[in-house]
């Protein structure tokens, strides 16, 4: 199943994006909150079957936002189902 971002609210201080499947059904959401030198990312995906797709969707999006401010510190809290996910492969054990 393919998943996509669908903007809910976008402002200079934050973005709230729905995660939708190919049938336009919401399966999760992600919020990006911007501070001067910090980016806070909170997201949850309800359907565990597309967990890798979720990580593949969120990771480049965060990297793209980070290009705007090279010294940006990123804090993330992402869940797939009830399991916390780490976007950094080297930190997973």
């Amino acid at each position: 199943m393919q998943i996509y971002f669908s903007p809910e609210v976008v402002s200079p201080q934050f973005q709230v994006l729905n995660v939708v499947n190919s049938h336009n059904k919401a399966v999760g959401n992600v919020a990006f909150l911007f501070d001067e030198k910090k980016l806070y990312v909170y997201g949850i995906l309800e359907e565990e079957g597309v967990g890798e797709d979720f990580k593949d969707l969120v990771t480049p999006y965060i990297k793209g936002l980070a290009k705007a401010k090279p010294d940006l510190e990123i804090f993330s809290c992402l869940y797939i189902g009830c399991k916390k996910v780490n976007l950094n492969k080297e930190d997973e054990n």
Side-chain angles (χ1 to χ4, degrees):
M1 172 178 30
Q2 294 286 322
I3 57 172
Y4 309 93
F5 283 144
S6 175
E8 184 71 24
V9 179
V10 176
S11 79
Q13 294 82 24
F14 65 91
Q15 296 180 7
V16 178
L17 308 175
N18 288 321
V19 179
V20 297
N21 64 18
S22 55
H23 302 293
N24 207 30
K25 177 185 177 238
V27 294
N29 59 55
V30 182
F32 300 92
L33 305 167
F34 305 101
D35 195 8
E36 287 184 33
K37 296 189 182 251
K38 296 178 183 172
L39 170 63
Y40 299 94
V41 182
Y42 176 78
I44 188 162
L45 182 71
E46 297 171 2
E47 297 191 20
E48 294 181 29
V50 291
E52 285 302 313
D53 293 335
F54 182 62
K55 288 168 67 172
D56 291 344
L57 189 63
V58 171
T59 302
Y61 196 86
I62 292 172
K63 287 180 181 179
L65 292 173
K67 287 180 182 179
K69 294 183 180 180
D71 58 343
L72 193 65
E73 195 172 358
I74 300 169
F75 300 93
S76 66
C77 183
L78 299 169
Y79 288 89
I80 298 173
C82 294
K83 298 176 187 170
K84 188 171 181 179
V85 225
N86 193 333
L87 296 178
N88 299 321
K89 298 270 187 216
E90 61 272 6
D91 291 344
E92 292 180 358
N93 289 325

